[in-house]
């Protein structure tokens, strides 16, 4: 008998979300995979079903559109017949450039995806989890959530929201038998930076992790019961420790130098 009945993963078509789905699928009877790319989702769902004997569903949806998060939750219940035991909010996006030059609509869509949809799915899941007094939510933030990020100002701010919101929910939910975890990866070898337009050359060579490494630490935290805030990699933990002793202004300047796009 598997440990969990139903798992919902957003941003599951690639990167960290895909690897978390692989990591948790052996523990779940049913998995619903959510992302915009239906072709990748279908292939992933088929592979998970064949590998682990888990019933996997592909659900294509654009969570940057208001209202779609609630629709996804409702369709999840229709597909599997119950609310999720585990919710993984991995869907996210970012843009790199000077704030004055970036598209207003593009960044507004990003904020709906990174914050609004995550919040909606959390609230819907928590109501059902509280009623059963069990469940786990994993929200994917970023090391950027601990600091300002010049040239990715809105993205870093959105991840600060995810981190703060998740830590607050963790305390509220503890009294109801529900866990809320926050995953805060640093630089990861995915197509995120290419899509965002950031350079990350220094980070790639010295502090980058693979999606598999990051997902492994997240899955381990879910299954073992601790910690609630997961920062993958010793180098990333060291960076966050060092930041505590540096003036915030200096941290902001250094972040800007790392994030400034190439001309």
């Amino acid at each position: 008998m598997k440990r969990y009945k139903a798992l919902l993963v957003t941003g599951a078509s690639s990167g960290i979300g895909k690897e978390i789905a692989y990591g948790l699928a052996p523990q779940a009877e049913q998995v619903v995979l959510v992302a915009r790319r239906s072709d990748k989702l279908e292939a992933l769902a088929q592979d998970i079903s064949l590998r682990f004997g888990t019933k996997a569903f592909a659900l294509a949806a654009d969570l940057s559109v208001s209202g779609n998060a609630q629709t996804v939750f409702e369709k999840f219940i229709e597909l599997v017949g119950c609310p999720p035991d585990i919710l993984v909010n991995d869907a996210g996006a970012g843009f790199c450039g000077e704030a004055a030059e970036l598209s207003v609509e593009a960044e507004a869509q990003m904020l709906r995806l990174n914050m609004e949809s995550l919040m909606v799915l959390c609230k819907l899941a928590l109501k059902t989890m509280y009623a059963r007094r069990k469940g786990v939510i994993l929200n994917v933030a970023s090391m950027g959530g601990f600091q300002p990020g010049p040239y990715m100002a809105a993205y870093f701010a959105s991840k600060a929201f995810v981190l703060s919101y998740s830590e607050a929910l963790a305390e509220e939910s503890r009294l109801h038998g529900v866990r809320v975890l926050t995953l805060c990866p640093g630089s990861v070898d995915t197509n995120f930076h290419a899509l965002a337009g950031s350079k990350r050359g220094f980070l790639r060579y010295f502090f980058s992790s693979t999606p598999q490494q990051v997902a492994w630490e997240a899955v381990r935290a879910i299954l073992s019961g601790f910690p609630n805030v997961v920062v993958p990699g010793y180098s990333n933990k060291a960076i966050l420790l060092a930041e505590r002793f540096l003036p915030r202004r200096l941290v902001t300047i250094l972040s800007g130098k790392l994030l400034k796009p190439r001309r």
Side-chain angles (χ1 to χ4, degrees):
M1 184 175 179
K2 297 195 175 184
R3 186 169 178 176
Y4 301 104
K5 188 174 181 64
L7 164 66
L8 171 58
V9 183
T10 72
S13 62
S14 63
I16 297 170
K18 178 180 178 180
E19 297 304 326
I20 290 177
Y22 274 128
L24 290 175
Q27 306 290 332
E29 294 177 12
Q30 302 181 91
V31 177
V32 176
L33 308 163
V34 179
R36 291 184 299 174
R37 292 286 303 275
S38 60
D39 54 341
K40 289 188 175 183
L41 286 180
E42 292 287 354
L44 177 60
Q46 185 176 12
D47 190 38
I48 284 176
S49 296
L50 291 173
R51 282 199 199 188
F52 309 116
T54 298
K55 196 171 184 179
F57 302 91
L59 179 55
D62 184 355
L63 291 173
S64 69
V65 177
S66 291
N68 280 1
Q70 181 158 349
T71 300
V72 162
F73 196 83
E74 292 168 354
K75 287 185 177 179
F76 177 95
I77 295 176
E78 289 177 13
L79 286 170
V80 305
C82 65
D85 297 302
I86 302 182
L87 164 65
V88 176
N89 279 310
D90 175 67
F95 297 100
C96 189
E98 293 189 12
E101 297 177 357
L102 291 172
S103 162
V104 172
E105 181 52 34
E107 289 209 293
Q109 285 185 331
M110 178 197 73
L111 295 179
R112 286 195 291 270
L113 173 63
N114 292 3
M115 297 191 297
E116 180 185 317
S117 289
L118 178 143
M119 180 190 70
V120 170
L121 287 172
C122 281
K123 291 170 75 67
L124 294 171
L126 285 175
K127 288 183 179 181
T128 62
M129 291 176 178
Y130 283 4
R132 293 173 292 161
R133 295 196 63 81
K134 65 177 183 178
V136 180
I137 294 175
L138 173 70
N139 290 329
V140 179
S142 165
M143 281 185 61
F146 293 93
Q147 64 199 43
Y151 306 103
M152 294 188 77
Y155 172 78
F156 273 51
S158 72
K159 292 305 181 178
F161 168 85
V162 173
L163 176 60
S164 178
Y165 183 68
S166 302
E167 287 185 296
L169 290 186
E171 177 58 24
E172 291 182 24
S173 304
R174 181 176 58 85
L175 305 176
H176 298 273
V178 175
R179 292 185 65 219
V180 179
L181 292 76
T182 318
L183 177 62
C184 300
S187 180
V188 183
D189 286 327
T190 68
N191 61 357
F192 171 84
H193 288 273
L195 294 173
S198 62
K199 57 184 180 182
R200 81 175 191 117
F202 173 79
L203 297 175
R204 178 188 294 274
Y205 288 109
F206 293 99
F207 299 108
S208 189
S209 303
T210 67
Q212 293 84 354
Q213 290 170 329
V214 173
W216 181 82
E217 293 208 31
V219 171
R220 183 179 63 172
I222 290 173
L223 298 180
S224 65
F226 68 93
N228 282 347
V229 177
V230 183
V231 179
Y234 292 111
S235 58
N236 290 327
K237 292 180 177 67
I239 290 170
L240 291 182
L241 179 62
E243 284 182 2
R244 295 183 182 182
F245 300 97
L246 295 175
R248 191 166 174 84
R249 172 62 178 156
L250 177 58
V251 172
T252 305
I253 292 171
L254 293 174
S255 295
K257 290 184 179 297
L258 288 173
L259 295 170
K260 189 174 183 179
R262 291 192 180 95
R263 292 296 180 184

